[in-house]
Amino acid sequence: MPSRSLDTTLMDSVTLTSTSPQVVVYQINHKAVWQDGVPFNADDFVYNWQAQSGLPQYTDVGGVAFDAASNAGYRQIKEITYSPDKYTVTATYSTPFADWRSLFSPMVPAHIMSKIGWDKGLLAANVNKDTMISAGPLMFSSYTAGKDFILKRNPTYWGTPSNLATVDFRFIPDSSQVEPALANNEINASYPQPQLDLSTSSRRCRT
């Protein structure tokens, strides 16, 4: 679910059903699965909440504390309950959180991270087919440090298939090489750090 925007391939609906206490109900698409066929369900909501809540009763693999970048919003959630089939998830807040739509974005697979660890699997430089599990139209294909990160079409995706069979993200550490790569059609787009000379040359390349 992109921040503040509902991904209707994953969710049927997300509804604020009460403001005092604040209660948000998530209805998950029954077709939603991770690329390995494991259902996308309440287990993922519970794990993602616990890992980012900062609450001391929840710990990572080995009993160590979770290392989340921010606890905002997740810490305000008092509990998460769910239906027997795990496709209806209810988040009840101890205190209101106005930006509740921004939570649970992105999501990580509970069945993977609960085994290898939030820190070791998500935050560490541990990029491989066993840690990069997708529930979207594209999935991990390969990663070569300093060279590229390649995605491929996810054959288990239940929504509209990706128009592209593969997407290649190239790493260009030398910013001076971005302009010639664009000019020579070696890359289709770039996302460099802001630099005045690069911005000027890129405009020349497009005109």
Side-chain angles (χ1 to χ4, degrees), residues 36-64:
D36 55 5
V38 174
F40 178 95
N41 61 24
D43 293 339
D44 301 302
F45 277 85
V46 171
Y47 179 81
N48 280 266
W49 162 54
Q50 292 180 352
Q52 297 174 88
S53 70
L55 298 174
Q57 62 265 41
Y58 304 121
T59 56
D60 203 354
V61 173
V64 299

Side-chain angles (χ1 to χ4, degrees), residues 64-94:
V64 299
F66 285 108
D67 184 15
S70 173
N71 304 131
Y74 295 102
R75 195 174 186 86
Q76 281 92 315
I77 295 177
K78 179 182 179 181
E79 65 175 355
I80 287 183
T81 57
Y82 47 86
S83 61
D85 66 1
K86 297 186 177 183
Y87 285 104
T88 300
V89 177
T90 302
T92 303
Y93 290 71
S94 56

Side-chain angles (χ1 to χ4, degrees), residues 48-162:
N48 280 266
W49 162 54
Q50 292 180 352
Q52 297 174 88
S53 70
L55 298 174
Q57 62 265 41
Y58 304 121
T59 56
D60 203 354
V61 173
V64 299
F66 285 108
D67 184 15
S70 173
N71 304 131
Y74 295 102
R75 195 174 186 86
Q76 281 92 315
I77 295 177
K78 179 182 179 181
E79 65 175 355
I80 287 183
T81 57
Y82 47 86
S83 61
D85 66 1
K86 297 186 177 183
Y87 285 104
T88 300
V89 177
T90 302
T92 303
Y93 290 71
S94 56
T95 57
F97 182 64
D99 198 20
W100 57 268
R101 291 181 180 84
S102 68
L103 302 184
F104 300 106
S105 173
M107 295 276 275
V108 300
H111 67 289
I112 299 295
M113 295 303 167
S114 62
K115 295 177 182 178
I116 64 176
W118 173 275
D119 298 347
K120 292 181 179 179
L122 182 67
L123 303 181
N126 190 6
V127 182
N128 58 65
K129 63 181 180 60
D130 297 320
T131 60
M132 303 296 291
I133 304 298
S134 172
L138 296 167
M139 58 184 282
F140 174 83
S141 177
S142 66
Y143 167 67
T144 303
K147 181 183 178 184
D148 58 21
F149 179 87
I150 301 176
L151 300 176
K152 63 181 179 181
R153 188 180 291 126
N154 180 3
T156 64
Y157 187 59
W158 61 97
T160 303
S162 168

